[in-house]
Protein backbone atom coordinates (compact mmCIF):
# COMPACT_ATOMS: atom_id res chain seq x y z
CA UNK A 1 0.00 0.00 0.00
CA UNK A 2 2.89 2.34 0.77
CA UNK A 3 4.11 1.94 -2.82
CA UNK A 4 0.67 2.97 -4.11
CA UNK A 5 0.70 6.09 -1.93
CA UNK A 6 4.26 7.05 -2.86
CA UNK A 7 3.44 6.58 -6.55
CA UNK A 8 0.25 8.63 -6.34
CA UNK A 9 1.58 11.75 -4.56
CA UNK A 10 3.99 12.90 -7.32
CA UNK A 11 1.35 12.33 -9.99
CA UNK A 12 -1.21 14.34 -8.04
CA UNK A 13 1.23 17.26 -7.73
CA UNK A 14 2.08 17.02 -11.43
CA UNK A 15 -1.60 17.10 -12.42
CA UNK A 16 -2.27 20.14 -10.25
CA UNK A 17 0.43 22.15 -12.00
CA UNK A 18 -0.28 20.81 -15.48
CA UNK A 19 -0.84 23.86 -17.68
CA UNK A 20 -4.21 23.62 -19.39
CA UNK A 21 -7.61 25.32 -19.58
CA UNK A 22 -8.61 24.08 -16.11
CA UNK A 23 -5.45 25.55 -14.56
CA UNK A 24 -6.19 29.09 -15.75
CA UNK A 25 -9.96 28.97 -15.21
CA UNK A 26 -9.44 27.73 -11.64
CA UNK A 27 -7.09 30.59 -10.76
CA UNK A 28 -9.35 33.14 -12.47
CA UNK A 29 -12.42 31.85 -10.63
CA UNK A 30 -10.63 32.05 -7.29
CA UNK A 31 -9.36 35.59 -7.91
CA UNK A 32 -12.71 36.89 -9.15
CA UNK A 33 -15.35 34.83 -7.29
CA UNK A 34 -13.52 33.59 -4.22
CA UNK A 35 -12.31 30.38 -2.60
CA UNK A 36 -15.61 28.53 -2.32
CA UNK A 37 -16.59 29.12 -5.96
CA UNK A 38 -13.20 27.90 -7.21
CA UNK A 39 -13.35 24.84 -4.95
CA UNK A 40 -16.79 23.87 -6.31
CA UNK A 41 -15.46 24.27 -9.87
CA UNK A 42 -12.50 22.06 -8.93
CA UNK A 43 -14.88 19.40 -7.60
CA UNK A 44 -16.49 19.33 -11.03
CA UNK A 45 -13.07 18.84 -12.62
CA UNK A 46 -12.22 16.01 -10.21
CA UNK A 47 -15.61 14.36 -10.85
CA UNK A 48 -14.79 14.15 -14.56
CA UNK A 49 -11.39 12.65 -13.69
CA UNK A 50 -13.04 10.02 -11.47
CA UNK A 51 -15.40 9.04 -14.29
CA UNK A 52 -12.49 8.79 -16.74
CA UNK A 53 -10.53 6.67 -14.26
CA UNK A 54 -13.52 4.34 -13.95
CA UNK A 55 -13.84 4.07 -17.74
CA UNK A 56 -10.12 3.38 -18.11
CA UNK A 57 -10.17 0.78 -15.34
CA UNK A 58 -13.35 -1.11 -16.19
CA UNK A 59 -13.59 -0.82 -19.97
CA UNK A 60 -11.81 -2.85 -22.60
CA UNK A 61 -8.68 -1.27 -24.04
CA UNK A 62 -10.32 -1.71 -27.45
CA UNK A 63 -12.84 0.97 -26.49
CA UNK A 64 -10.01 3.35 -25.62
CA UNK A 65 -8.22 2.45 -28.87
CA UNK A 66 -11.37 3.17 -30.87
CA UNK A 67 -11.62 6.61 -29.27
CA UNK A 68 -7.93 7.25 -29.90
CA UNK A 69 -8.22 6.22 -33.55
CA UNK A 70 -11.24 8.44 -34.22
CA UNK A 71 -9.96 11.99 -34.84
CA UNK A 72 -13.50 13.35 -35.08
CA UNK A 73 -13.89 12.98 -31.30
CA UNK A 74 -10.92 15.25 -30.67
CA UNK A 75 -12.15 17.72 -33.29
CA UNK A 76 -15.63 17.76 -31.72
CA UNK A 77 -14.19 18.40 -28.24
CA UNK A 78 -11.97 21.16 -29.62
CA UNK A 79 -14.89 22.83 -31.39
CA UNK A 80 -16.91 22.78 -28.15
CA UNK A 81 -14.11 24.48 -26.21
CA UNK A 82 -13.51 27.04 -28.97
CA UNK A 83 -17.24 27.82 -29.13
CA UNK A 84 -17.42 28.28 -25.35
CA UNK A 85 -14.38 30.57 -25.33
CA UNK A 86 -15.62 32.58 -28.31
CA UNK A 87 -19.11 33.08 -26.89
CA UNK A 88 -17.65 34.13 -23.51
CA UNK A 89 -15.31 36.62 -25.18
CA UNK A 90 -18.01 38.14 -27.40
CA UNK A 91 -20.45 38.45 -24.47
CA UNK A 92 -17.81 40.27 -22.42
CA UNK A 93 -16.91 42.56 -25.30
CA UNK A 94 -20.53 43.40 -26.03
CA UNK A 95 -21.42 43.92 -22.37
CA UNK A 96 -18.41 46.17 -21.78
CA UNK A 97 -19.49 48.39 -24.66
CA UNK A 98 -23.07 48.79 -23.51
CA UNK A 99 -22.73 48.94 -19.71
CA UNK A 100 -20.61 50.46 -17.02
CA UNK A 101 -17.69 48.19 -16.08
CA UNK A 102 -18.86 48.02 -12.46
CA UNK A 103 -22.22 46.62 -13.57
CA UNK A 104 -20.58 44.13 -15.91
CA UNK A 105 -18.30 42.83 -13.16
CA UNK A 106 -21.19 42.39 -10.72
CA UNK A 107 -22.97 40.25 -13.30
CA UNK A 108 -19.93 38.09 -14.03
CA UNK A 109 -18.94 37.44 -10.42
CA UNK A 110 -22.35 36.09 -9.41
CA UNK A 111 -21.92 32.69 -7.81
CA UNK A 112 -24.08 29.84 -9.04
CA UNK A 113 -22.39 26.80 -7.50
CA UNK A 114 -24.26 24.26 -9.59
CA UNK A 115 -23.21 26.02 -12.79
CA UNK A 116 -19.64 26.25 -11.54
CA UNK A 117 -19.58 22.50 -10.83
CA UNK A 118 -20.94 21.73 -14.31
CA UNK A 119 -18.46 24.18 -15.86
CA UNK A 120 -15.53 22.39 -14.21
CA UNK A 121 -16.89 18.99 -15.21
CA UNK A 122 -17.39 19.98 -18.85
CA UNK A 123 -14.03 21.76 -19.16
CA UNK A 124 -12.29 18.53 -18.19
CA UNK A 125 -14.57 16.01 -19.87
CA UNK A 126 -14.68 17.50 -23.39
CA UNK A 127 -10.94 16.81 -23.71
CA UNK A 128 -10.79 13.13 -24.72
CA UNK A 129 -7.04 13.29 -24.21
CA UNK A 130 -7.72 13.19 -20.45
CA UNK A 131 -9.24 9.72 -20.84
CA UNK A 132 -6.23 8.55 -22.84
CA UNK A 133 -3.95 10.01 -20.16
CA UNK A 134 -5.63 8.02 -17.40
CA UNK A 135 -5.52 4.86 -19.48
CA UNK A 136 -1.81 5.38 -20.05
CA UNK A 137 -1.30 5.87 -16.30
CA UNK A 138 -3.30 2.70 -15.65
CA UNK A 139 -1.21 0.49 -17.93
CA UNK A 140 2.02 2.07 -16.68
CA UNK A 141 1.39 1.93 -12.93
CA UNK A 142 -0.98 -1.06 -12.89
CA UNK A 143 1.65 -3.79 -13.38
CA UNK A 144 3.84 -2.25 -10.66
CA UNK A 145 0.93 -2.61 -8.24
CA UNK A 146 0.13 -6.14 -9.50
CA UNK A 147 -3.24 -4.77 -10.73
CA UNK A 148 -4.66 -5.48 -7.26
CA UNK A 149 -7.96 -3.57 -6.88
CA UNK A 150 -7.10 -2.46 -3.32
CA UNK A 151 -3.69 -1.08 -4.33
CA UNK A 152 -5.11 0.56 -7.45
CA UNK A 153 -7.86 2.13 -5.37
CA UNK A 154 -5.35 3.55 -2.90
CA UNK A 155 -3.20 4.83 -5.78
CA UNK A 156 -6.01 6.71 -7.51
CA UNK A 157 -7.39 7.98 -4.18
CA UNK A 158 -3.93 9.33 -3.34
CA UNK A 159 -3.64 11.01 -6.75
CA UNK A 160 -7.03 12.72 -6.47
CA UNK A 161 -6.50 13.72 -2.82
CA UNK A 162 -3.06 15.18 -3.54
CA UNK A 163 -4.44 16.97 -6.60
CA UNK A 164 -7.22 18.55 -4.51
CA UNK A 165 -4.92 19.56 -1.66
CA UNK A 166 -2.45 21.29 -3.98
CA UNK A 167 -5.32 22.97 -5.82
CA UNK A 168 -6.67 24.30 -2.51
CA UNK A 169 -3.29 25.96 -1.97
CA UNK A 170 -3.41 27.46 -5.48
CA UNK A 171 -6.97 28.68 -4.93
CA UNK A 172 -6.05 30.29 -1.62
CA UNK A 173 -3.06 32.10 -3.12
CA UNK A 174 -5.07 33.31 -6.11
CA UNK A 175 -7.76 34.61 -3.77
CA UNK A 176 -5.20 37.00 -2.21
CA UNK A 177 -5.20 38.93 -5.49
CA UNK A 178 -8.92 39.61 -5.28
CA UNK A 179 -8.67 42.96 -3.48
CA UNK A 180 -6.26 44.20 -6.16
CA UNK A 181 -8.65 43.52 -9.05
CA UNK A 182 -10.40 46.59 -10.44
CA UNK A 183 -13.45 46.17 -12.70
CA UNK A 184 -11.30 46.93 -15.74
CA UNK A 185 -8.72 44.29 -14.77
CA UNK A 186 -11.41 41.67 -14.12
CA UNK A 187 -12.87 42.24 -17.59
CA UNK A 188 -9.40 41.93 -19.14
CA UNK A 189 -8.63 38.76 -17.16
CA UNK A 190 -11.88 37.10 -18.22
CA UNK A 191 -11.26 38.07 -21.84
CA UNK A 192 -7.76 36.58 -21.59
CA UNK A 193 -9.16 33.32 -20.19
CA UNK A 194 -11.69 33.18 -23.03
CA UNK A 195 -8.88 33.56 -25.59
CA UNK A 196 -6.87 30.84 -23.82
CA UNK A 197 -9.85 28.49 -24.06
CA UNK A 198 -9.96 29.10 -27.80
CA UNK A 199 -6.22 28.31 -28.06
CA UNK A 200 -6.60 25.11 -26.02
CA UNK A 201 -9.59 24.14 -28.17
CA UNK A 202 -7.43 24.50 -31.28
CA UNK A 203 -4.78 22.33 -29.60
CA UNK A 204 -7.32 19.59 -28.96
CA UNK A 205 -8.45 19.77 -32.59
CA UNK A 206 -4.84 19.39 -33.75
CA UNK A 207 -4.70 16.11 -31.80
CA UNK A 208 -7.39 14.87 -34.15
CA UNK A 209 -5.78 16.28 -37.29
CA UNK A 210 -2.33 15.00 -36.37
CA UNK A 211 -2.82 11.65 -34.61
CA UNK A 212 0.93 10.95 -34.82
CA UNK A 213 1.25 13.03 -31.65
CA UNK A 214 -0.32 10.15 -29.76
CA UNK A 215 2.33 7.50 -30.56
CA UNK A 216 2.95 6.79 -26.88
CA UNK A 217 -0.63 5.68 -26.41
CA UNK A 218 -0.57 3.57 -29.59
CA UNK A 219 2.58 1.72 -28.48
CA UNK A 220 1.11 1.07 -25.06
CA UNK A 221 -2.06 -0.32 -26.59
CA UNK A 222 -0.08 -2.59 -28.91
CA UNK A 223 1.76 -4.08 -25.94
CA UNK A 224 -1.54 -5.11 -24.39
CA UNK A 225 -3.04 -6.43 -27.63
Amino acid sequence: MLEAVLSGIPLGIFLSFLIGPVFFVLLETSAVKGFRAAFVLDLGVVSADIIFIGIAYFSSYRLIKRIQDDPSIFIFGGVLMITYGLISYLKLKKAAKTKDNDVVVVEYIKKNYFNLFIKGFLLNSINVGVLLFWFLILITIGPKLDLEPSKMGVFFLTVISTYLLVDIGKIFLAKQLRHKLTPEIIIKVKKGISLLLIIFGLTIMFQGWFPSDQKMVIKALEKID
Side-chain angles (χ1 to χ4, degrees):
M1 290 298 178
L2 181 59
E3 182 182 3
V5 173
L6 294 178
S7 299
I9 291 175
L11 181 60
I13 296 174
F14 168 77
L15 284 176
S16 184
F17 287 100
L18 192 65
I19 303 299
V22 172
F23 179 89
F24 292 105
V25 172
L26 184 67
L27 296 183
E28 176 257 338
T29 302
S30 178
V32 175
K33 297 188 178 183
F35 180 91
R36 189 178 300 177
F39 183 70
V40 171
L41 181 135
D42 206 24
L43 289 179
V45 173
V46 169
S47 297
D49 276 320
I50 291 173
I51 291 176
F52 279 147
I53 290 171
I55 294 174
Y57 185 79
F58 292 108
S59 68
S60 165
Y61 82 94
R62 291 182 179 82
L63 172 62
I64 310 296
K65 190 172 188 301
R66 183 180 303 172
I67 293 174
Q68 188 275 327
D69 286 337
D70 188 356
S72 64
I73 296 177
F74 288 91
I75 294 173
F76 178 70
V79 169
L80 284 180
M81 188 169 291
I82 290 171
T83 302
Y84 179 83
L86 190 59
I87 290 175
S88 298
Y89 182 84
L90 292 176
K91 284 175 66 177
L92 279 164
K93 192 173 181 180
K94 181 180 179 181
K97 284 183 177 180
T98 57
K99 299 180 181 179
D100 181 75
N101 273 345
D102 291 321
V103 178
V104 174
V105 169
V106 168
E107 289 187 1
Y108 279 93
I109 64 175
K110 287 180 180 177
K111 302 172 187 177
N112 184 316
Y113 293 115
F114 177 76
N115 287 347
L116 284 167
F117 180 88
I118 296 300
K119 179 180 179 180
F121 181 86
L122 291 177
L123 275 176
N124 205 24
S125 60
I126 61 178
N127 185 359
V128 184
V130 176
L131 174 58
L132 297 177
F133 169 81
W134 283 117
F135 185 73
L136 188 59
I137 293 298
L138 179 67
I139 62 178
T140 302
I141 301 296
K144 296 180 181 179
L145 301 178
D146 302 319
L147 289 174
E148 290 186 16
S150 57
K151 290 183 179 180
M152 296 298 294
V154 170
F155 168 74
F156 285 119
L157 179 61
T158 302
V159 173
I160 296 299
S161 299
T162 304
Y163 176 86
L164 268 176
L165 285 173
V166 177
D167 268 4
I168 287 173
K170 284 163 38 184
I171 291 169
F172 179 78
L173 290 175
K175 183 187 174 184
Q176 306 311 307
L177 300 173
R178 191 176 186 185
H179 67 281
K180 297 181 179 179
L181 296 177
T182 64
E184 291 77 12
I185 292 176
I186 290 177
I187 294 295
K188 289 179 180 179
V189 168
K190 296 190 75 67
K191 283 183 178 180
I193 295 298
S194 298
L195 291 174
L196 281 173
L197 289 177
I198 295 173
I199 293 172
F200 283 118
L202 289 170
T203 302
I204 295 172
M205 289 179 65
F206 287 149
Q207 293 180 38
W209 287 330
F210 303 103
S212 58
D213 293 340
Q214 303 159 29
K215 288 181 180 179
M216 284 181 62
V217 177
I218 296 174
K219 290 179 180 178
L221 290 167
E222 288 174 345
K223 288 181 181 179
I224 299 179
D225 197 357

